[in-house]
Amino acid sequence: MASMYGHPAETHQVTTEDGYILTLFRLYGNRGALPVLLFHGILDSSDTWITRGNTSLSITLANNNYDVWLGNVRGNRYSQRHVYLNPKLDPAYWNFSYDEHGLYDLPATIDYILNKTGAPKLNMFGHSQGNILMWVLLSTRTQYNDKINVATALAPVCYMYHSPPPIGTLARLVKKKNTMWERFQASWS
């Protein structure tokens, strides 16, 4: 898709500590500038940063000579590979949550970009769940705070209760279940 807007993407593969193989895309800009990493939201992929064409953030940044990297988490359409698990045959492949995205996928992506570019830091944009990954990483593996120059949170998620179905519906059910469980526990104390 990026080629349609004058920025043919390079494809890069990075392997996480726990064996997931992620696909990154790079839109070249100024190789001397700090790289910019864009990370997508839930149930999405790096495509989200290109679908608006010339007004997309990735294309706008590339047009302004930034070195743009588009990340993908394990399990999405671009990152369904593992060093020994087959996502079509091994249910264990799918045993992850946003915790693993933040603890393994994001640091592997950041380290790969910094090693590839030689830059001391990068700038990052996260959209929705992409921010959660950033917060998981920066709060648990604090050495990564020194690897990110500026982090920008677009549509950060705090509560899921007001989200549209099916996510909001599930959040309301979980909240109701938790409230009932708390009442049950209180009645026994």
Side-chain angles (χ1 to χ4, degrees):
M1 280 195 303
S3 295
M4 294 187 311
Y5 305 105
H7 297 282
E10 271 185 8
T11 302
H12 295 261
Q13 305 292 315
V14 60
T15 303
T16 65
E17 292 175 41
D18 57 347
Y20 287 80
I21 302 168
L22 312 176
T23 299
L24 310 175
F25 297 107
R26 183 182 195 182
L27 310 181
Y28 270 112
N30 181 352
R31 293 186 190 197
L34 289 182
V36 178
L37 172 60
L38 306 178
F39 234 98
H40 60 82
I42 193 169
L43 303 176
D44 209 347
S45 72
S46 57
D47 290 349
T48 198
W49 300 105
I50 296 179
T51 56
R52 296 186 63 88
N54 281 323
T55 61
S56 297
L57 181 57
S58 64
I59 300 302
T60 300
L61 290 169
N63 285 342
N64 284 283
N65 217 22
Y66 285 90
D67 185 7
V68 181
W69 292 78
L70 308 174
N72 287 288
V73 294
R74 64 184 68 194
N76 83 2
R77 67 183 291 186
Y78 295 115
S79 298
Q80 289 191 11
R81 292 180 44 220
H82 192 276
V83 294
Y84 61 87
L85 294 173
N86 181 333
K88 292 183 170 102
L89 302 174
D90 300 315
Y93 173 89
W94 298 100
N95 189 19
F96 58 80
S97 72
Y98 66 83
D99 288 320
E100 286 76 20
H101 292 157
L103 292 172
Y104 301 112
D105 298 0
L106 186 53
T109 299
I110 290 171
D111 288 340
Y112 181 87
I113 293 168
L114 295 181
N115 287 333
K116 188 78 175 167
T117 64
K121 296 180 178 209
L122 56 74
N123 295 308
M124 182 174 168
F125 285 85
H127 174 252
S128 192
Q129 183 185 340
N131 299 312
I132 293 172
L133 313 183
M134 191 167 39
W135 296 326
V136 166
L137 175 63
L138 298 178
S139 65
T140 58
R141 298 175 83 176
T142 57
Q143 68 272 25
Y144 280 87
N145 287 287
D146 293 331
K147 296 182 180 190
I148 297 177
N149 180 50
V150 173
T152 303
L154 303 173
V157 177
C158 293
Y159 301 101
M160 301 300 287
Y161 188 77
H162 297 289
S163 297
I167 294 172
T169 305
L170 291 171
R172 286 188 291 282
L173 288 172
V174 168
K175 183 176 181 180
K176 186 174 185 176
K177 177 185 164 251
N178 288 342
T179 302
M180 290 181 349
W181 178 248
E182 289 165 6
R183 287 182 186 156
F184 176 75
Q185 286 180 317
S187 70
W188 281 88
S189 44

